[in-house]
Every structure is written in C-alpha cells, then in structure tokens.
Amino acid sequence: MGKLILVIIIYVLLYLSIKAYYKINNFRTPFSSWGMWKDDVKLKEKFIVSFIINIPLFIVLLYYLFW
C-alpha cells in the first residue's frame, strides 16, 4: 500500500512539474483546467508528455518484474 501511495505522489509531482515548466518558459500549457488535452496540442507533444508522465509506471513494473 505504501508503494502505491508513493507512485501516486510521484504522478502528481510530475503533472505539476510539467505545468510549471510550461508556465516558466511562457509556453501555452497542453492541459485544460480539468487535466485533459487542449485541442491545439500536436500528437508529437502528446506522446512526449505522456511518456514522461508514465516513467514511474515503467519503474514500478520493472521493479516487480526483476526483483
């Protein structure tokens, strides 16, 4: 249960850090107010941001697969 909470916290921190990156660099944010993709976001940008957000999932899956 503790590992699940850790993964959820990491997901929240990644989401907030992506939003902060876009705000600091004065780019338009790719997320709407509810966390969904905006209409003007390109597919390439969706793939990159989605991959970054799913890195904790890959780490947890590899952890349980090999240990």
Side-chain angles (χ1 to χ4, degrees):
M1 186 69 175
K3 292 177 185 170
L4 179 64
I5 293 172
L6 180 65
V7 171
I8 291 171
I9 290 171
I10 291 172
Y11 273 119
V12 169
L13 290 175
L14 275 173
Y15 178 76
L16 293 175
S17 65
I18 289 171
K19 285 191 75 126
Y21 171 78
Y22 278 94
K23 284 198 180 246
I24 289 170
N25 291 321
N26 292 326
F27 298 136
R28 53 120 187 90
T29 55
F31 304 115
S32 66
S33 61
W34 288 94
M36 303 299 291
W37 297 109
K38 287 185 178 176
D39 293 333
D40 61 342
V41 179
K42 295 183 179 180
L43 186 63
K44 181 180 177 181
E45 187 177 5
K46 287 181 184 180
F47 279 137
I48 293 170
V49 172
S50 295
F51 178 76
I52 291 170
I53 289 175
N54 283 310
I55 288 174
L57 177 67
F58 297 143
I59 293 171
V60 169
L61 288 177
L62 289 175
Y63 176 77
Y64 283 116
L65 193 64
F66 292 114
W67 282 283

